[in-house]
Amino acid sequence: MTKRINDRRIEGLDLARALAMFGMFIVNFGVITGSTTKGSTWLIALQNLFEGRASAVFVMLAGIGTALMTRQARETKDSMLLRKNRVTLWKRSLLLFVIGIVLYGVGWTGDILHYYGVYMFVAACLIARSKKMMMFIIGVILILSQWLQIQFNYLAGWDPTYVLLEYLDFWTPAGFIRNLMFNGYHPLFPWICFFLIGMLIGTLDLTNRTLRKILLVSGLLLVIMTETFSTIFIKMTTTHLLDVESALYLFDTGPIPPNIMYVLSNTASAIVLIMGSIYLVETCKNKVIEALILTGQMSLTHYVGHVFIGIGILIVCHKLGNQTLAFSMLYACCYFLGCVIVSVWWRAKHRRGPLEFMMRKWSSS
């Protein structure tokens, strides 16, 4: 039986959330400034390292948070409490979905929140399922996702002139469903796996250092294994069976498309970051880490803010498109630093960020 997790907030999760948000800023500002390939080799490699991985950490943390929030209902099997938790999650998922659609409507086509809302809506239906059933569901989703990627055109709906930048029929029923389920930036198949894996991790006793070491080592080994096997599979299949493009499509660990190798590699790296963050908070907490924790606790506010404020500044300064990677990364660092300063200032006066307060108020009403 899993040891009961104590009720003290695990601040390492907030630190991981802040670090994931920083990675998302680097990726998003790189894309919006058109700078992802305009830099030195090491800068491009660094940019590619964050691509897809930062968002995966963000989604996995949401799954962990969901498991922690619904722990009492799961353990007691109280049907009324389970229903109450589901309603709360469904309300939150609706708000996230609406905010995400608004962001998409104002031009932020890289939004993750409307996908995030759908993950949470589906996951709310699964909070009482056993670990074995959850693992079975995750396996089925992974296999089905890979099958869909092989059977159908992954670029359907994307503008051929601006591939993976502009989705032509997003606002039509067919295009919206296709984007949401299959080939958007964070499609339900297979991205919900990160959320469900997070829920599984959240059922464990994350205050147990021995368990965390096991997860950390397992994550490191899985990263090494998946990256190694990815390289081997690509080399082997391109010798006689497949062309390079097809081999990369099936076995690369990049986010487009999110194949099985991608999910495994990014799950592993997310676990490493999360366990490492918990360890850092427990062993060397200082003013900087405390500030990052506060920033992670306001991640929803800062995510929405980086669209309206962060990209807004770039528009006013005429810095959209044709920028260097050095510029976009420096801008991401400066904007993140601004978020940290605002978080410390805001939390000195308020218990929650503005959108976090609205989320709690809405879901508890």
Side-chain angles (χ1 to χ4, degrees):
M1 183 175 175
T2 303
K3 182 180 175 182
R4 188 178 177 87
I5 303 168
N6 71 46
D7 293 327
R8 183 171 56 84
R9 186 183 183 98
I10 303 175
E11 292 183 330
L13 301 179
D14 296 317
L15 175 59
R17 195 172 286 111
L19 297 176
M21 186 172 63
F22 176 50
M24 291 173 73
F25 287 173
I26 288 177
V27 173
N28 293 346
F29 288 138
V31 171
I32 205 70
T33 58
S35 64
T36 53
T37 59
K38 298 175 182 176
S40 60
T41 303
W42 73 270
L43 275 180
I44 293 173
L46 184 61
Q47 174 84 7
N48 292 339
L49 181 65
F50 287 107
E51 191 174 357
R53 295 185 186 274
S55 299
V57 174
F58 203 64
V59 174
M60 190 177 291
L61 285 166
I64 294 174
T66 297
L68 294 175
M69 187 189 88
T70 59
R71 182 194 67 207
Q72 185 180 355
R74 285 196 324 275
E75 291 181 352
T76 61
K77 307 295 183 183
D78 185 325
S79 59
M80 291 295 291
L81 190 54
L82 282 168
R83 185 178 182 280
K84 182 180 178 181
N85 284 172
R86 286 195 182 100
V87 171
T88 298
L89 288 170
W90 285 334
K91 285 183 176 181
R92 291 186 180 187
S93 71
L94 177 60
L95 183 59
L96 289 169
F97 183 82
V98 170
I99 294 173
I101 291 298
V102 170
L103 293 180
Y104 200 103
V106 299
W108 177 235
T109 58
D111 172 65
I112 193 175
L113 291 184
H114 71 284
Y115 297 102
Y116 191 114
V118 176
Y119 308 153
M120 185 175 288
F121 182 88
V122 175
C125 303
L126 303 174
I127 56 176
R129 299 295 180 184
S130 67
K131 293 178 183 178
K132 288 183 179 180
M133 177 56 70
M134 291 286 280
M135 288 188 284
F136 175 76
I137 292 171
I138 291 168
V140 169
I141 291 172
L142 280 176
I143 293 170
L144 179 58
S145 300
Q146 187 85 66
W147 180 81
L148 289 171
Q149 291 163 14
I150 294 171
Q151 289 294 120
F152 299 99
N153 177 14
Y154 193 77
L155 296 181
W158 289 101
D159 188 331
T161 307
Y162 303 100
V163 178
L164 300 177
L165 290 176
E166 185 175 341
Y167 208 84
L168 295 175
D169 57 350
F170 180 86
W171 297 109
T172 68
F176 184 86
I177 295 297
R178 187 196 318 114
N179 182 284
L180 177 68
M181 306 292 286
F182 172 55
N183 70 344
Y185 280 120
H186 312 95
L188 185 71
F189 294 96
W191 268 78
I192 194 174
C193 290
F194 294 120
F195 200 106
L196 299 181
I197 292 168
M199 287 177 66
L200 284 175
I201 293 172
T203 64
L204 305 175
D205 179 14
L206 297 180
T207 64
N208 185 317
R209 293 191 176 186
T210 301
L211 175 63
R212 290 207 311 266
K213 286 179 181 178
I214 293 171
L215 287 171
L216 179 64
V217 172
S218 299
L220 286 170
L221 290 175
L222 185 56
V223 169
I224 294 169
M225 287 174 59
T226 50
E227 294 297 327
T228 301
F229 283 132
S230 171
T231 302
I232 291 172
F233 290 159
I234 290 169
K235 287 184 177 180
M236 286 177 60
T237 54
T238 51
T239 304
H240 299 293
L241 301 174
L242 301 171
D243 58 80
V244 174
E245 185 178 350
S246 298
L248 290 173
Y249 186 87
L250 291 172
F251 304 119
D252 191 28
T253 56
I256 305 295
N259 56 39
I260 291 176
M261 299 300 288
Y262 165 78
V263 174
L264 292 176
S265 178
N266 282 258
T267 293
S269 59
I271 290 172
V272 171
L273 178 66
I274 293 168
M275 296 307 127
S277 296
I278 296 174
Y279 175 79
L280 276 176
V281 170
E282 285 189 352
T283 57
C284 53
K285 188 176 180 181
N286 53 37
K287 294 295 184 182
V288 173
I289 290 179
E290 287 178 357
L292 290 174
I293 289 170
L294 296 177
T295 306
Q297 292 171 356
M298 291 178 59
S299 57
L300 177 59
T301 294
H302 291 313
Y303 177 83
V304 175
H306 101 283
V307 176
F308 289 103
I309 301 172
I311 296 177
I313 293 171
L314 291 171
I315 293 173
V316 170
C317 296
H318 305 289
K319 293 295 184 179
L320 292 187
N322 300 316
Q323 302 302 312
T324 64
L325 194 50
F327 168 80
S328 69
M329 284 196 169
L330 179 61
Y331 183 76
C333 291
C334 291
Y335 188 82
F336 181 72
L337 178 60
C339 289
V340 174
I341 294 170
V342 168
S343 298
V344 173
W345 169 76
W346 181 271
R347 288 299 307 279
K349 303 173 183 293
H350 308 279
R351 287 188 62 190
R352 295 180 180 86
L355 289 185
E356 287 74 17
F357 174 79
M358 184 175 73
M359 172 79 77
R360 192 174 185 86
K361 198 74 174 175
W362 159 255
S363 61
S364 62
S365 61

